[in-house]
């Protein structure tokens, strides 16, 4: 009987420590941890109320992002949010178009989104971006 009590106590202590040591599962933490960051240039573009490749009208003031063919993946990211960082500033944009002439990690961002990061006259800025 004494063995059973000691064994039960040891097993209970083992599981209690394991539960306490487990991190709290948070969707935000998991998304960030699994999302790669890309380094490329962001180019300012003007959708001018035209339809984007995702099928809806895009305005210059919208925070719209056009992905390169390397990330387009047949439009699977349409409507997905991207976090774009430049020089300590961040924007949250939505994938709405494809940039067929872009380099693999290059993105086009609408003039409204670009202006939140840098003056429009700059035209091209080095950014870090990721899907959120």
């Amino acid at each position: 009987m004494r063995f059973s009590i000691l064994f039960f106590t040891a097993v209970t202590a083992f599981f209690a420590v394991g539960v306490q040591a487990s991190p709290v599962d948070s969707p935000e933490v998991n998304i960030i941890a699994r999302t790669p960051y890309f380094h490329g240039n962001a180019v300012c573009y003007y959708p001018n109320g035209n339809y984007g490749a995702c099928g809806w009208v895009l305005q210059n003031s919208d925070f719209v992002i056009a992905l390169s063919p390397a990330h387009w993946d047949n439009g699977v990211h349409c409507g997905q949010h991207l976090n774009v960082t430049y020089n300590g500033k961040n924007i949250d944009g939505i994938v709405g178009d494809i940039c067929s002439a872009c380099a693999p990690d290059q993105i086009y961002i609408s003039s409204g989104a670009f202006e939140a990061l840098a003056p429009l006259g700059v035209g091209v800025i080095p950014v870090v971006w990721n899907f959120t």
Side-chain angles (χ1 to χ4, degrees):
M1 183 77 163
R2 182 169 239 174
F3 175 75
S4 298
I5 292 171
L6 289 175
F7 180 75
F8 178 73
T9 304
V11 170
T12 303
F14 174 77
F15 284 116
V17 170
V19 170
Q20 291 172 354
S22 297
V24 175
D25 209 14
S26 168
E28 294 166 294
V29 172
N30 288 338
I31 290 171
I32 292 169
R34 287 185 268 160
T35 302
Y37 288 82
F38 302 96
H39 299 264
N41 287 329
V43 177
C44 179
Y45 92 113
Y46 298 87
N48 292 327
N50 292 307
Y51 282 90
C54 291
W56 59 82
V57 175
L58 308 175
Q59 302 299 333
N60 295 339
S61 60
D62 297 338
F63 278 38
V64 177
I65 297 171
L67 294 177
S68 71
H71 294 284
W72 179 246
D73 199 14
N74 293 319
V76 74
H77 298 293
C78 284
Q80 188 169 0
H81 288 257
L82 258 68
N83 179 55
V84 181
T85 303
Y86 168 71
N87 209 21
K89 296 180 182 178
N90 292 312
I91 61 158
D92 176 53
I94 297 176
V95 175
D97 211 350
I98 186 172
C99 167
S100 56
C102 283
D105 292 339
Q106 182 180 29
I107 55 175
Y108 274 19
I109 58 177
S110 62
S111 57
F114 192 95
E115 195 169 32
L117 295 173
L120 291 177
V122 175
V124 179
I125 54 176
V127 296
V128 177
W129 61 271
N130 66 297
F131 294 101
T132 60

